[in-house]
Amino acid sequence: MRGHWGRGVGLNAAAAAAYLAVLCAGDCASAESIHEALVQAYQNNPQLNAQRAQVRATDEGVPQALSGYRPKLSVSASAEVEELQQKSLSSTTHTISESKGLIYPYSLSATASQTLFNGFQTGNKVRAAESQISSAREGLRVLEQTILLNAATVYMDMLRDSAIVEVQRSNVNVLTETLKQTQDRFNAGEVTRTDVAQAEAQLAAGRFQLLTAESNLNTTRSNYRRVIGQDPGKLSPGSPVDRFAPRTLGLAVDEGLQENPNVTAAMYGIDVAYLQLKINEGALYPTIVVSGTAQKTWNSSLSTIEQTQYSGTATFTMPIYQGGSEYSLIRQSKETLTQQRLVLEQTRDQIRQAIVQAWGQVQATKAQIESAQAQVRSSETALNGVREEARVGQRTTLDVLNAQQALVNARVSLVTAQHDRVVASYNLLSAVGRLSPEILGLPTPIYDPRVHYYQVRDSWAGMRTPDGK
């Protein structure tokens, strides 16, 4: 039976390379790289594009606040119809005369007003709006990192699950051959019906594992389409991005506590809360408004054909008591400011924990790959030895099947460790705040939210957006 076991070893050697071959599926040069997948997600992910639109909407808060510095103009027109009955006493004849008729008065007026002082509320509203925009931009950075991390993860999920399917498919092929060999040996009287049953059971288990792997791959393929925006094709191997990470854990923590967009967003949140407090305090200050009106009226009476009026007004208003709502708002703003400061501390604690955890995962996955590689080598050696021992009758069919399953498990562990190694490196960059297309060097135009901001900041009028909508 030397020939039978020899065929088994040959098939097993082919299985050993199967999970490596699937990474390029025959042509690495034409395969999609992980950077290309990240570019697709960065450009086309609908959640990310929706967040960019939200930031553009937030930009409009500044011209809205700046409107407090600008004059307000209005025009009005009116037209009436009146019936007049008028009696008058003549000063010379001392007689009473009576007149009666319809008049059609109409008027046109224009009013301009300008706020000179409102307790610094306008200036604080502008600064608050700018801080809100900065916070929104940091929120966009958070989502960009999340999308890029999800894209890298699902890319590696595809590689892992595709490789596992190949490993399990190769395992089924080997088990099918093993069952055939066992049947031949049973027919020759070398083994019992129990050996055949064991081979059949192991083949059934292998087929179940293959079906499970294929189901997982289909799920991952759907997730890939959702995150990346297109169906996966040929994928080239992914590699860790450790070169972009800080060299030591201490440097990573220090940088993350300052540069992580979650932290900077919380910082801007404090600025917004402080400025909102100042806006509410401005309600206790006086306001000064000047206004002017020009009005022209025609046919205001039977004897008046045309009349023109000009007026100017300066109004000084000093609030004394407004029912206490302004004081409540001030107290509320102080508590909100305290809350935002505590949120910053909480965010920094979370970022510190995330960086330490991600750093540990990177170090652990390095060791896991070395262990998995050693496990594969040892399992291959053990399987070959068990096959040779079974050939001379020192091992049973069950021993061979167990050794084969151990090798399959080792290969799955290696594929999983390789996946985890790359994902952990991207996760560390995200925790530090470095997972961006600029740092990764992605070949794509970088979305700059400042462009839209400067397009609308000083706009006095107009309903069309900068993109023509």
Side-chain angles (χ1 to χ4, degrees), residues 155-171:
Y155 184 95
M156 294 307 300
D157 289 349
M158 275 298 303
L159 289 178
R160 177 199 61 195
D161 293 346
S162 297
I164 290 176
V165 166
E166 291 303 314
V167 169
Q168 297 295 350
R169 182 175 291 119
S170 179
N171 179 50

Side-chain angles (χ1 to χ4, degrees), residues 69-354:
Y69 286 128
R70 299 166 185 162
K72 294 177 175 58
L73 305 175
S74 64
V75 294
S76 62
S78 64
E80 303 177 44
V81 56
E82 297 180 9
E83 181 180 1
L84 292 182
Q85 294 182 353
Q86 181 176 328
K87 294 182 179 181
S88 58
L89 177 65
S90 173
S91 59
T92 57
T93 62
H94 301 286
T95 60
I96 297 176
S97 62
E98 183 176 347
S99 60
K100 181 179 180 182
L102 293 175
I103 62 172
Y104 302 93
Y106 57 96
S107 65
L108 181 66
S109 65
T111 301
S113 64
Q114 175 67 59
T115 300
L116 301 182
F117 182 75
N118 62 352
F120 311 105
Q121 291 186 66
T122 299
N124 288 325
K125 286 179 179 179
V126 172
R127 287 187 287 273
E130 290 172 341
S131 295
Q132 287 172 340
I133 291 173
S134 298
S135 180
R137 290 176 183 172
E138 295 307 298
L140 178 60
R141 283 184 59 206
V142 171
L143 186 59
E144 283 180 351
Q145 290 204 146
T146 301
I147 296 301
L148 291 176
L149 178 59
N150 290 344
T153 301
V154 76
Y155 184 95
M156 294 307 300
D157 289 349
M158 275 298 303
L159 289 178
R160 177 199 61 195
D161 293 346
S162 297
I164 290 176
V165 166
E166 291 303 314
V167 169
Q168 297 295 350
R169 182 175 291 119
S170 179
N171 179 50
V172 168
N173 293 336
V174 171
L175 292 175
T176 301
E177 181 64 19
T178 300
L179 176 58
K180 182 177 180 300
Q181 295 171 3
T182 305
Q183 286 279 11
D184 293 342
R185 296 182 69 192
F186 172 74
N187 294 334
E190 296 181 9
V191 296
T192 67
R193 171 59 65 181
T194 301
D195 295 283
V196 176
Q198 290 171 340
E200 290 174 341
Q202 195 70 12
L203 176 58
R207 287 171 176 166
F208 173 78
Q209 291 170 349
L210 174 59
L211 291 173
T212 301
E214 290 174 341
S215 175
N216 293 337
L217 178 60
N218 289 333
T219 300
T220 301
R221 184 176 287 109
S222 176
N223 289 337
Y224 189 100
R225 178 68 177 82
R226 176 181 58 84
V227 175
I228 305 298
Q230 64 183 19
D231 292 324
K234 296 179 181 180
L235 304 182
S236 60
S239 59
V241 286
D242 297 337
R243 62 189 180 280
F244 301 120
R247 291 173 295 175
T248 65
L249 176 58
L251 290 175
V253 171
D254 291 341
E255 182 174 339
L257 294 182
Q258 295 297 325
E259 301 298 331
N260 186 287
N262 288 285
V263 173
T264 50
M267 291 178 177
Y268 287 119
I270 293 177
D271 294 340
V272 172
Y274 173 77
L275 291 168
Q276 187 59 51
L277 170 61
K278 292 301 179 181
I279 292 171
N280 291 334
E281 289 177 345
L284 302 178
Y285 289 80
T287 58
I288 302 175
V289 180
V290 295
S291 62
T293 301
Q295 183 176 8
K296 193 166 188 177
T297 305
W298 293 267
N299 301 329
S300 60
S301 67
L302 291 175
S303 59
T304 304
I305 298 177
E306 184 178 299
Q307 180 179 352
T308 303
Q309 292 180 320
Y310 300 97
S311 65
T313 306
T315 304
F316 176 88
T317 304
M318 181 66 192
I320 302 300
Y321 184 71
Q322 309 296 319
S325 62
E326 66 274 32
Y327 300 106
S328 176
L329 286 173
I330 291 173
R331 295 193 303 270
Q332 185 181 52
S333 299
K334 289 181 178 180
E335 296 296 344
T336 301
L337 177 58
T338 301
Q339 177 197 15
Q340 290 299 319
R341 287 170 175 163
L342 294 174
V343 167
L344 175 60
E345 293 303 315
Q346 179 184 8
T347 302
R348 282 177 169 163
D349 289 339
Q350 293 171 344
I351 295 303
R352 182 185 292 107
Q353 185 269 338

